[in-house]
Amino acid sequence: MGTVALALKDLWPCFEGIIPATIATCAKDGTPNISYVSQVHYVDPEHVAISFQFFNKTRKNIAEHPFASVMVLDPRAMQAYRLSLRYERSESSGPLFQAMSLQLQAIASHAGMSDVFRLRAADIYAVRRIERVEGFTSWPVPAQDERLPSLFIDPNLHALRVVAEQLNRTECLGELLETALRCLDEFFGLRHTMLLLVDEKRRTLQTIASRGYDENGVGSEVGFGDGLIGMVATAKLPLRLSGLDHTLRYARAVRNRAEALSGSETLCREIPLPGLSNASTQIAVPLMIRHRCLGVLVAESLEPLTLLIREEAVMAIVAGHLASGIDQSAQEADDPVAVEASITASPPVHSAVTQRSFCFYHADDCIFVDGEYLIKNVPGRILWRILKQHQDEQRVEFTNRELRMDSWLGLPEWKDNFETRLILLRKRLEQKCPDVRLVPRGRGRFALDTSVNIILSEKPA
Amino acid sequence: MIPATIVDLLHTGVSVNVGTRDADLMPECTRGWGIWVGADRTAVTLLLTESASAQTLDNLRNNGLIAITCSRPTDHVTCQLKGTVTRIRPATPQDYVQQQAWRRAFLGELIAVGVPAEQTDAIIMQPAVAIEMQVTGVFAQTPGPGAGEQV
C-alpha cells in the first residue's frame, strides 16, 4: 500500500464527478457504513466538500463520530485514491454552497426531480491523509499535467473574474469608476491610478477619478496629443513607458506648459494632474468602444519593472469594462430610478464653516469658492444653475433631465454623458467645500445638501 | 434471509464497496472484486485483493464487522448489506470461476456507462482473498428519499 507526499490538487480529475466516490463511516456502536456520493468537491489544498441532501446513515454517523474514509477514482486510468477525512463544518450559504446547489438542481431538474433533490448543506471535511491505492489497476499512473490542472485556475484569471463581477454589480457610474480603481489596487497591486475622460468638444481629457495620490486631481486636464495620456487618446493604443526621465514626467510637464503659456492667472484655474513626481514606469490604456476613445486609464509605479505586459493586459480588460459602463450611462434614460441610499450617499459633513461665497466668472464659466478656484465650463454652469435656483426658489431636489434640457448649460445635444459631469462636480465640491454636497437620490436625481449659508456673486464677461 | 430482489440484483454485475473500521472506530473503505449469495440466502462471499485492501483485511480479522454497498452502474439500483465475517481464506479455483461470471457482468456494466474496455481490463482482481459474511441487515440504498430503509 503506497502513499505519501500526494497533494490534493494532484487528484484533480477525481473531483469532476465522473466516477462516483464511496464514503465509509462508523456509528458510535462500532457498526460500519458505506455509501456512494456523487461528487467530492475540491475546496482548498486541505479540504473537500461533500453534498448533504438527505438525513441518511452517513450523516448520522458523522454527527456521532466525525471521521470518514473516502475512495475517489481518477477516470483517466481507474486509479483509486483513499482520503482519510474529518468532518469540520456545514455551509448552507456562500459561493461553494451556491455552486454545489445549482449543480444539483440542474441535475435534478434534468431528471424531473427538482422537488426531491435539494442541497441542505455543503459538508466540509479536513483531509488528514491521502493514499494512492496500489494494486488497483495495471495501468500506469497518469503523468502530471504540465498545464495548471483544471481545478486550479490561474490566480490572475480568477482575480479578473472577481473584478469583472464587482464591476458589473455597481449601481451607478460613480461607483463603477471607484470600484475599477480599487480593484486594480487590491487585486493587481496597481497603487497609483487615474482615469481621464475625453471631452470631444474641447479636445481635452479631464481627470474624473484617481487613487493613491495625495491630491485627487479631479478636474485636471490634458490636451489631446499631450504627453503619454494625450498621445494614447489620439493614437487609441496602449502605451507603456519604463525608466522615465524627469523631463517626461507628465504632471510637471502639463503644469510647466500652463505656466509658460498663460501666466499665473490661468494657472490658478488649472488643477494639477495627479502624478508621482518620481514615477519610473507609466502605463496608459485607452477606453475604447466601437472605435471611439472615451478616456484613458493610467497607472504609475515608483518601482521599475513592476508595470509590465501583465499589468497592461489587466488594465486593457478593465478599461473595456469602463468604456462599456460609461457608454451605457450616456445612453440611459434620465427617468429617475430609485437606488438604495446606502449605496450612493456618503455621510454628511460637519463643518466649522458657517458660510460659503461662490463667485461665477461669466468670461470662462468659472466658479471660485471663498476665493479659490473650484470648477469651470459645463460643470461650472451646472453648479451655478443649481446654486441660483436654490437661492431664488429654495429648491433642493434636481433631476438630470431638467438640467439636460436647460439650454443655458450648453450641453451637446447628442449622447452627452451628464452623469460624468455630475461626478466631477461632486468630487470637486467634496475636496474644496465639503459642506455643500450633491447627494444622489437614485439614478437621474440628486439633492443639494448644505449646512452653511450660501452667498452668490457674479463677475460679468 | 436476503430478499429475492436483492439476490437478483447482486447477480447482475454490481460494484462492490466495502466499509470496515478499526479498534478506534476509524472507518476504511475499499473495493471488492466479485460477490455471490450462498444457497441459504443468509450469507454472501466476496473477494478482495490483499494489496489494495490490507487495512480492510486487518479490520475484518480484528472485529469482523462489515458493510457492503453494491450498485448497478447502469441504473444506480443499490443496496447495502451489513453483517459479520465468519471466515477469511485464500480464494480457491471455484471462487475464481464465480468471480469470472461476476467480472463479465460487471465489466459489461462499466463499458455500458462509457468506461473504455482497456481500462476495465486493467483492473487487478487476483490473487484474491475470499470473505465469507453472515448478513444481518439489508438496506435499500438507491439514491433518493427512500435510501437507508431496511428491506
Side-chain angles (χ1 to χ4, degrees), chain A residues 282-297:
Chain A
Q282 286 184 329
I283 297 180
V285 297
L287 270 57
M288 297 299 299
I289 193 143
R290 290 182 292 274
H291 306 293
R292 279 192 303 134
C293 175
L294 303 186
V296 175
L297 177 63

Side-chain angles (χ1 to χ4, degrees), chain A residues 250-289:
Chain A
Y250 190 69
R252 185 168 295 170
V254 168
R255 198 163 174 81
N256 290 346
R257 183 174 148 274
E259 236 163 355
L261 286 178
S262 316
S264 57
E265 200 176 311
T266 305
L267 189 61
C268 73
R269 284 156 156 81
E270 291 280 348
I271 301 162
L273 189 74
L276 302 170
S277 61
N278 49 348
S280 79
T281 316
Q282 286 184 329
I283 297 180
V285 297
L287 270 57
M288 297 299 299
I289 193 143

Side-chain angles (χ1 to χ4, degrees), chain A residues 412-461:
Chain A
E413 283 179 14
W414 187 70
K415 275 193 186 174
D416 181 69
N417 200 329
F418 190 78
E419 198 58 35
T420 62
R421 299 179 189 277
L422 278 182
I423 291 170
L424 183 65
L425 183 52
R426 196 172 285 139
K427 286 192 177 180
R428 283 297 290 168
L429 285 170
E430 273 169 22
Q431 203 177 7
K432 290 293 168 190
C433 54
D435 29 45
V436 176
R437 308 191 312 147
L438 301 180
V439 182
R441 289 272 190 264
R443 196 178 298 151
R445 196 169 55 185
F446 62 92
L448 178 70
D449 176 41
T450 176
S451 54
V452 295
N453 263 338
I454 293 174
I455 299 173
L456 304 182
S457 62
E458 300 183 42
K459 291 267 171 70

Side-chain angles (χ1 to χ4, degrees), chain A residues 139-324:
Chain A
W139 266 33
V141 176
Q144 282 287 358
D145 230 325
E146 285 182 10
R147 298 172 299 148
L148 272 174
S150 64
L151 274 179
F152 308 99
I153 186 171
D154 180 307
N156 287 322
L157 189 57
H158 177 68
L160 268 179
R161 172 193 177 156
V162 175
V163 170
E165 286 169 353
Q166 293 202 8
L167 293 175
N168 285 335
R169 268 202 297 269
T170 58
E171 291 279 357
C172 63
L173 187 59
E175 195 190 354
L176 174 75
L177 308 183
E178 297 302 325
T179 303
L181 300 192
R182 179 180 53 75
C183 285
L184 286 173
D185 182 350
E186 288 177 2
F187 291 92
F188 297 101
L190 302 179
R191 305 272 176 258
H192 310 284
T193 49
M194 58 184 121
L195 179 64
L196 296 91
L197 296 188
V198 162
D199 185 331
E200 290 279 2
K201 200 170 154 190
R202 298 176 51 245
R203 303 281 295 164
T204 59
L205 293 126
Q206 205 164 27
T207 308
I208 192 162
S210 71
R211 184 179 172 92
Y213 298 104
D214 293 338
E215 292 284 324
N216 73 23
V218 166
S220 56
E221 293 191 345
V222 173
F224 271 29
D226 286 347
L228 175 78
I229 298 167
M231 291 281 291
V232 164
T234 316
K236 300 178 177 175
L237 290 171
L239 191 57
R240 186 153 45 92
L241 294 179
S242 297
L244 285 175
D245 185 70
H246 284 253
T247 53
L248 269 178
R249 273 187 233 122
Y250 190 69
R252 185 168 295 170
V254 168
R255 198 163 174 81
N256 290 346
R257 183 174 148 274
E259 236 163 355
L261 286 178
S262 316
S264 57
E265 200 176 311
T266 305
L267 189 61
C268 73
R269 284 156 156 81
E270 291 280 348
I271 301 162
L273 189 74
L276 302 170
S277 61
N278 49 348
S280 79
T281 316
Q282 286 184 329
I283 297 180
V285 297
L287 270 57
M288 297 299 299
I289 193 143
R290 290 182 292 274
H291 306 293
R292 279 192 303 134
C293 175
L294 303 186
V296 175
L297 177 63
V298 184
E300 293 186 300
S301 172
L302 296 171
E303 306 296 324
L305 301 177
T306 50
L307 299 182
L308 300 169
I309 189 73
R310 164 188 176 268
E311 286 68 30
E312 184 186 313
V314 166
M315 286 173 64
I317 291 166
V318 170
H321 277 272
L322 286 169
S324 303

Side-chain angles (χ1 to χ4, degrees), chain A residues 372-383:
Chain A
E372 262 196 82
Y373 171 66
L374 178 64
I375 200 154
K376 66 182 174 183
N377 297 325
V378 175
R381 287 198 202 186
I382 293 171
L383 178 62

